[in-house]
Amino acid sequence: MKLVIQIPCYNEQQALPAALAALPRQVAGFDCVEWLIVNDGSTDETVEVARALGVDHVVSFPANRGLAAAFVAGLDAAVKHGADVIVNTDADNQYDAADIPVLVAPILAGQAEIVVGARPIDETAHFSRTKKLLQKVGSQIVRLASHTHVADSPSGFRAISRSAALQLNVFNRYTYTLETVIQAGQKGIPITSVPVHTNGPTRPSRLVKSIRSYVMRSMVTIFRIFMVYRPLLLFLWLGLLPVLLGGALFVRWGVLAWVEAPPYGRVPSLIVGAMLVLIGFQLWFFGLLADLLAANRKLLEDCQVRLRRLDAEAVVSPSHDGHPPLRHPTSTPESPRTRM
């Protein structure tokens, strides 16, 4: 069993030494523990510092692509390096690395495939009251959207099994935290959370530049995730409001037409009501189309998972006939060899 601990990095030469010094090289249940950093277009000495401190693998972007892209690239690289479990943590040493055995325990026990570390929000002194409240409200919304029981959805301290890593996709450039939790719930990937400890802040957060910006981005993220994973439900709710308003105007026109004669003065209300009902039905129709597209997306994701698995499990062996190296899939339940 191999554990890969990944750290997305962007100009982290100052904070990275403390974060790496805290990482374990041995974790119960694993034969091998390796470190991987994703250099997200850093312009300082992040890569050189990481290599000097013994990082096993480095994935580099030529330019900054954002935290979500770095997270996904790290998962892909970790899987290709043979990881059975991947732990994601931050370069600013926000999370206590001593909790990694606690974080991976549910995966080793077969109870979950994704484990999110729940921070002690109420006990975190450097979190303002507003931020604490928003963290709780945001996590509650994500729980409702994903049908999961993750206590701290924005937490980036999480353990992910190889199987789950092959299935995850992130479409949002801002952050991966909310999307992956909702995606896991929609895909039926077992997910849970465990309480973890945190360290004091070493630098200001780069993700939360202001509460207002964080709230707006989070709301947009949740809305986009609903459009991708629950389009029919979303458009049904969006279309319900104009249909109800239009229906209310129809009823009003009917009542006034019965009481007052002639009802010609109420024709504008009738026209507005008809327009609202048409808008509502159009939104419902868009929901049906989006639901069909979502079904097609699921088929494409199944194909993607199979291709990822074959690519990750391929073993390159030298060819004796001068042709390019052949890829031999390992014998697993999902490989073509066992399906034939």
Side-chain angles (χ1 to χ4, degrees):
M1 290 280 286
K2 177 185 285 190
L3 171 67
V4 173
I5 304 173
Q6 72 170 40
I7 306 178
C9 297
Y10 177 62
N11 293 339
E12 297 287 3
Q13 68 174 16
Q14 300 297 329
L16 192 57
L20 292 177
L23 294 184
R25 276 297 185 180
Q26 294 182 343
V27 175
F30 295 94
D31 305 311
C32 176
V33 177
E34 295 179 353
W35 301 346
L36 180 150
I37 71 161
V38 183
N39 170 37
D40 189 16
S42 298
T43 57
D44 62 0
E45 304 298 320
T46 294
V47 174
E48 289 74 8
V49 169
R51 293 191 187 279
L53 294 175
V55 168
D56 301 282
H57 311 289
V58 176
V59 178
S60 287
F61 293 158
N64 182 258
R65 293 173 55 186
L67 179 60
F71 171 77
V72 173
L75 292 186
D76 183 64
V79 167
K80 289 181 178 179
H81 285 297
D84 296 288
V85 178
I86 304 108
V87 166
N88 183 83
T89 188
D90 286 355
D92 62 358
N93 200 32
Q94 174 188 170
Y95 304 105
D96 189 348
D99 288 327
I100 289 179
V102 177
L103 197 67
V104 301
I107 296 179
L108 294 176
Q111 299 171 351
E113 292 190 28
I114 299 177
V115 184
V116 180
R119 297 164 293 180
I121 301 296
D122 291 331
E123 302 170 11
T124 305
H126 62 277
F127 279 8
S128 65
R129 290 184 178 180
T130 303
K131 187 173 182 179
K132 291 178 181 179
L133 176 62
L134 291 174
Q135 293 280 9
K136 292 180 179 179
V137 172
S139 294
Q140 180 62 34
I141 293 174
V142 172
R143 282 195 291 271
L144 293 174
S146 62
H147 302 291
T148 65
H149 302 284
V150 176
D152 184 12
S153 299
S155 171
F157 193 37
R158 50 187 63 190
I160 303 164
S161 72
R162 181 184 184 88
S163 174
L166 290 169
Q167 300 179 60
L168 291 178
N169 292 296
V170 178
F171 303 102
N172 185 280
R173 189 178 185 273
Y174 177 59
T175 181
Y176 59 89
T177 54
L178 305 182
E179 184 171 357
T180 49
V181 171
I182 295 177
Q183 191 175 140
Q186 297 299 326
K187 291 186 174 183
I189 301 174
I191 182 171
T192 188
S193 61
V194 295
V196 296
H197 302 88
T198 57
N199 301 314
T202 58
R203 58 165 173 76
S205 173
R206 294 173 180 170
L207 192 65
V208 185
K209 296 181 179 180
S210 70
I211 296 298
R212 179 182 177 184
S213 172
Y214 178 74
V215 170
M216 293 301 297
R217 290 189 178 216
S218 297
M219 290 175 62
V220 172
T221 297
I222 293 173
F223 182 79
R224 290 185 62 187
I225 292 171
F226 261 100
M227 288 190 66
V228 173
Y229 297 102
R230 300 294 295 276
L232 183 58
L233 180 62
L234 176 64
F235 282 99
L236 283 176
W237 279 106
L238 290 178
L240 186 61
L241 179 60
V243 168
L244 290 177
L245 290 176
L249 289 175
F250 279 149
V251 171
R252 174 178 177 271
W253 182 85
V255 171
L256 293 177
W258 180 268
V259 174
E260 300 177 7
Y264 304 118
R266 311 294 178 180
V267 171
S269 295
L270 185 63
I271 295 174
V272 172
M275 291 176 62
L276 288 172
V277 171
L278 286 175
I279 291 173
F281 276 99
Q282 283 182 330
L283 288 172
W284 288 347
F285 180 71
F286 291 154
L288 291 173
L289 292 179
D291 193 57
L292 292 175
L293 292 175
N296 185 60
R297 176 186 53 78
K298 291 178 182 178
L299 294 175
L300 292 175
E301 285 184 346
D302 289 341
C303 294
Q304 181 189 54
V305 170
R306 290 178 180 272
L307 289 174
R308 282 178 174 176
R309 182 175 287 113
L310 290 173
D311 186 48
E313 295 179 350
V315 178
V316 179
S317 62
S319 174
H320 300 288
D321 55 4
H323 291 85
L326 299 176
R327 293 181 179 269
H328 301 287
T330 57
S331 179
T332 66
E334 294 294 333
S335 68
R337 181 179 303 174
T338 57
R339 291 199 299 266
M340 293 177 59

